Amino acid sequence: MFHLNRRMRRTGSVLFAIALLTLSLLLVACGSRFQNVSGQSSSTGTSQQTTTTTTTTAADTATPQTSSPSGNTSQQLQDAIQAIDNALNDVSSADATAAVESGADEQP
Amino acid sequence: MKKISPLRMPLTFLAILAASGALLMCAFLPTSASAASVQAARCAADDLQCVIKAGDLLISNRLADLNILKTRVSNYLSEKRLTDAQASELQNDVSSNESGLQSLKTKLDAETVAKEARKDVANIYTQFRIYAVVLPRDRRHIVLDIEVNTRDKMVSAETNIQNAINQAPSDQKDQLNTLFNDYKQRISDADLQFQTANQTLPQLTPASFNQNRAAYEATRRSLDLALRTARIDLGQAAKDLSQMVKIIGHDI
């Protein structure tokens, strides 16, 4: 009976440890993400503006995922519509960054 | 119940420590980072070099993002999404802002009094509004240009579409004409949106932003609605054409 309890306790401990390790990994990931978000949005704070480094979104640097105009007319138009959508996404990214100057213009 | 010593469960103990550490990290990291920013951002009233350094950073951030926009315009040009004239107009706007910021940086770096340096820093915002106005506006300009080019391509296809319908079997003509009429109507609807967009886009300026923020935002929303409605119209026209191609059985 004692051996069984001890084994169960060990198993429970290992499971508990695994759960805690998983949780800690998640929290670390959460921490680094929070830090990134903080870096992005700190510019909206009233006293952090001068040290803000605006982050460049992947959409900014990536080549638009549209093929160049080629192929038949219908396909070309579908590609053009996709290009409009990509450009609209860029607008959303620019609007998100616009928050840097949407508050008070803080002096250093 | 028997007490469990941490030493008998090193793994559990380590896990608890790791979790606690992670929790502490989550709780304090953003705060400490923000605190560091605040400390670096605040300059003493007469600390000229601090103000210059902060202003230079503001300018370099803006120049970097303007350069990204310039690259993006070049990409669209090489993909023939934008015409030479459209790309030039956008590149000129970027260049104008870049040279303006460079001049302001030169002035700022040469300041000898903190108060004057602070005025220069204020001008980074009030004169240029790179993030609030220029970049969002120019991105919208790109959308408008691509939409107009798409409309042009659709209009230029109309003759071929009509010819294809004329040559189609009679039992297909009604359906094809219905689709073609919708195609033309959608293009016409998009044209109305372009009129709105062409009227509102030039109103988005740093001056209008500074002068009346509410009016500026209303104009921006009106432009956004026009661009998105035009996108829907053009998308539907493209679908109409796609259906016509399927019915006819070959490209138009």
Side-chain angles (χ1 to χ4, degrees):
Chain A
M1 185 66 186
F2 173 75
H3 289 295
L4 184 63
N5 282 344
R6 195 175 167 190
R7 186 173 293 170
M8 283 176 68
R9 200 168 57 201
R10 275 188 183 171
T11 306
S13 299
V14 168
L15 287 173
F16 183 58
I18 289 169
L20 278 174
L21 277 170
T22 307
L23 178 67
S24 63
L25 283 172
L26 281 171
L27 287 171
V28 168
C30 141
S32 63
R33 176 164 173 74
F34 194 11
Q35 195 179 15
N36 286 342
V37 170
S38 172
Q40 260 186 328
S41 61
S42 62
S43 54
T44 58
T46 53
S47 59
Q48 299 162 19
Q49 207 158 15
T50 53
T51 54
T52 298
T53 302
T54 48
T55 47
T56 302
T57 64
D60 282 327
T61 52
T63 302
Q65 295 177 344
T66 56
S67 55
S68 54
S70 62
N72 61 45
T73 309
S74 181
Q75 186 57 50
Q76 283 179 26
L77 290 180
Q78 295 293 345
D79 289 347
I81 297 297
Q82 184 59 52
I84 295 169
D85 289 340
N86 289 338
L88 282 168
N89 285 337
D90 287 346
V91 169
S92 300
S93 298
D95 284 350
T97 309
V100 172
E101 289 177 353
S102 291
D105 300 332
E106 283 296 308
Q107 282 284 322
Chain B
M1 192 174 167
K2 199 173 179 180
K3 218 174 182 180
I4 302 169
S5 162
L7 291 173
R8 290 185 64 185
M9 287 196 301
L11 195 60
T12 308
F13 185 61
L14 283 174
I16 292 170
L17 276 179
S20 306
L23 267 173
L24 283 170
M25 201 175 106
C26 249
F28 289 107
L29 255 185
T31 312
S32 57
S34 302
S37 298
V38 172
Q39 283 172 356
R42 286 295 177 195
C43 300
D46 57 350
D47 190 344
L48 174 65
Q49 289 309 314
C50 177
V51 176
I52 290 175
K53 190 178 172 186
D56 283 350
L57 181 60
L58 290 173
I59 290 172
S60 66
N61 287 343
R62 283 153 178 77
L63 288 173
D65 285 323
L66 283 168
N67 200 44
I68 289 169
L69 175 62
K70 190 179 266 187
T71 303
R72 197 50 171 268
V73 170
S74 296
N75 288 341
Y76 278 125
L77 177 63
S78 63
E79 293 169 356
K80 302 189 189 308
R81 299 290 174 210
L82 296 177
T83 65
D84 288 338
Q86 290 167 337
S88 290
E89 187 180 354
L90 288 158
Q91 303 284 29
N92 288 342
D93 187 54
V94 171
S95 297
S96 167
N97 280 288
E98 282 176 340
S99 59
L101 283 171
Q102 292 286 9
S103 299
L104 184 57
K105 182 182 186 310
T106 303
K107 184 173 185 298
L108 171 66
D109 291 349
E111 296 292 3
T112 54
V113 181
K115 191 179 172 185
E116 293 303 312
R118 287 182 185 281
K119 284 182 186 173
D120 293 338
V121 171
N123 284 338
I124 297 171
Y125 298 106
T126 55
Q127 286 186 1
F128 292 96
R129 295 285 177 209
I130 300 297
Y131 290 127
V133 175
V134 175
L135 294 174
R137 179 195 62 207
D138 287 1
R139 296 283 192 180
R140 285 170 171 82
H141 200 157
I142 291 172
V143 173
L144 176 60
D145 286 343
I146 297 176
E147 287 184 341
V148 167
N149 296 343
T150 305
R151 184 276 312 266
D152 290 348
K153 190 179 284 291
M154 289 177 167
V155 170
S156 69
E158 285 182 1
T159 305
N160 287 343
I161 296 170
Q162 186 62 67
N163 289 339
I165 292 173
N166 291 343
Q167 292 169 7
S170 55
D171 63 330
Q172 292 178 350
K173 284 189 177 176
D174 281 350
Q175 194 180 358
L176 286 170
N177 277 322
T178 302
L179 287 167
F180 188 37
N181 287 336
D182 188 64
Y183 177 88
K184 289 187 287 188
Q185 182 60 51
R186 294 290 185 164
I187 293 170
S188 177
D189 291 345
D191 279 338
L192 291 175
Q193 302 305 325
F194 295 150
Q195 287 176 22
T196 303
N198 280 316
Q199 286 168 0
T200 50
L201 192 62
Q203 295 175 36
L204 301 181
T205 62
S208 64
F209 182 95
N210 294 336
Q211 199 171 13
N212 187 336
R213 181 73 184 280
Y216 178 91
E217 293 299 337
T219 304
R220 186 186 56 76
R221 282 194 296 273
S222 174
L223 173 61
D224 284 349
L225 181 62
L227 292 176
R228 292 186 184 280
T229 307
R231 155 63 182 89
I232 292 168
D233 290 329
L234 295 173
Q236 187 54 51
K239 282 182 185 172
D240 289 337
L241 179 63
S242 178
Q243 282 185 269
M244 286 187 272
V245 167
K246 278 181 189 168
I247 293 167
I248 292 169
H250 59 79
D251 184 31
I252 294 172

